[in-house]
């Protein structure tokens, strides 16, 4: 592809660095918001927000992503706690799939990555919402016992970071129930907990972002032009290839739009398939699913979202712009 090895190496380094630097601020913002939820919004308080009936429940789970934005990197433990604390499965499972896509940070990063393309942002949000609603309705008849491997669970961690269950009021001190005593929660402890969670989340997913940036840059640098032409001209192949890439790269939803946008020669339908599927299913999520959910729920999560995303993406390639 390049006449000189150093020219190709320079292009690779420039592309990888550009992708990472564009995406890193959004990943940091997403990590900060996730830390705020982890430290200040105990999942048991969420159940008051979610109706018991299936249709209102899935809609509530969908819109919760706007106000409780969490990327897919930390969504599974949160949803497990929600189910253990009585949140209806229809709401919790819809929220799990929708929150990494239907949230302001991801919308902003997608809009920025695609240089102000409102269609890409809206289409990604719509595809994620439709898939999440479908899965939420499909699982709405199940109970927490049918969904979770460990329905009983354990007490939630308090905002001070000690890991104790202080009950619904968060009371502390010796002799106040079964929970061990810890020091009263101070403003400094809360700030320290937020900073610690933010740093840990950013560093964990920053490694994934670096890997994704390197992979995307290597793909653009090393892939023969004839192979790229084949993907460009065949919507079916391009959609399947980008869906597989989304699963393998396991990128954070706050940063994956910048990687998708770097595949400039691929059709919009293929890039949307990448953006819609990745936050709902990738390698790390598949592992977490098997550790938290029952076998039939895991099977549904591994099959239904890819099928729905493929159908929606292929329909867009036939009838869309």
């Amino acid at each position: 592809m390049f006449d000189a090895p150093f020219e190709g190496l320079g292009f690779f380094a420039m592309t990888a660095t550009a992708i990472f630097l564009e995406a890193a601020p959004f990943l940091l913002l997403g990590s900060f918001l996730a830390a705020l939820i982890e430290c200040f919004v105990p999942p048991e308080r969420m159940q008051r927000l979610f109706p018991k009936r299936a249709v209102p429940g899935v809609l509530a789970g969908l819109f919760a992503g706007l106000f409780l934005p969490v990327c897919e990197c930390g969504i599974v433990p949160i949803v497990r706690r929600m189910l253990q604390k009585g949140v209806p499965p229809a709401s919790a499972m819809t929220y799990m799939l929708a929150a990494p896509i239907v949230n302001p940070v991801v919308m902003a990063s997608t809009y920025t990555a695609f240089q102000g393309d409102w269609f890409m942002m809206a289409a990604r949000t719509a595809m994620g919402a439709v898939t999440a609603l479908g899965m939420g309705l499909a699982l709405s008849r199940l109970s927490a016992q049918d969904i979770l491997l460990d329905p009983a669970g354990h007490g939630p961690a308090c905002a001070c970071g000690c890991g104790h269950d202080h009950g619904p009021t968060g009371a502390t001190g010796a002799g106040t129930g079964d929970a061990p005593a810890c020091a009263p929660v101070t403003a400094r402890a809360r700030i320290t907990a937020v900073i610690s969670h933010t740093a840990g989340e950013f560093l964990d997913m920053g490694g994934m972002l670096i890997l994704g940036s390197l992979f995307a840059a290597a793909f653009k640098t090393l892939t023969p032009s004839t192979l790229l032409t084949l993907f460009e001209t065949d919507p079916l192949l391009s959609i399947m290839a980008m869906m597989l890439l989304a699963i393998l790269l396991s990128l954070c939803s706050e940063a994956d739009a910048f990687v998708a946008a770097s595949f400039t020669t691929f059709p919009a339908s293929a890039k949307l398939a990448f953006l819609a599927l990745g936050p709902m299913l990738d390698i790390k999520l598949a592992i977490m699913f098997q550790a938290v959910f029952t076998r039939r729920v895991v099977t549904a999560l591994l099959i239904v979202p890819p099928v729905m995303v493929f159908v929606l993406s292929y329909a867009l390639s036939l009838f869309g712009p």
Side-chain angles (χ1 to χ4, degrees), residues 105-282:
V105 178
V106 172
M107 291 181 189
S109 68
T110 304
Y111 179 81
T112 303
F114 286 93
Q115 301 179 354
D117 189 335
W118 286 97
F119 172 78
M120 291 298 293
M121 184 193 75
R124 179 187 192 181
T125 304
M127 288 176 65
V130 169
T131 305
L133 288 171
M135 278 298 300
L137 288 172
L139 298 174
S140 63
R141 294 181 179 273
L142 301 181
S143 65
Q145 288 72 23
D146 299 321
I147 293 176
L148 295 175
L149 290 175
D150 181 20
H154 303 87
C158 67
C160 66
C162 69
H164 299 159
D165 183 0
H166 299 299
T169 63
T172 61
T176 56
D178 297 331
C182 70
V185 180
T186 64
R188 181 176 181 179
R190 290 179 183 272
I191 294 173
T192 301
V194 170
I195 294 174
S196 176
H197 280 291
T198 301
E201 182 79 11
F202 181 78
L203 291 175
D204 285 344
M205 298 319 302
M208 291 291 185
L209 176 58
I210 292 173
L211 181 62
S213 301
L214 293 174
F215 190 95
F219 186 89
K220 294 187 67 175
T221 305
L222 302 175
T223 303
S225 57
T226 53
L227 182 59
L228 284 177
T229 302
L230 177 63
F231 284 119
E232 294 168 12
T233 56
D234 191 323
L236 191 64
L237 285 178
S238 63
I239 290 171
M240 291 191 295
M242 289 297 279
M243 288 175 64
L244 178 62
L245 193 62
I247 294 173
L248 295 178
L249 287 184
S250 300
L251 293 174
C252 182
S253 61
E254 276 112 14
D256 60 358
F258 294 92
V259 174
S262 70
F263 292 88
T264 53
T265 57
F266 278 64
S269 58
K271 287 183 278 191
L272 284 170
F274 177 93
L275 293 173
L277 182 61
M280 293 186 282
L281 177 63
D282 58 29

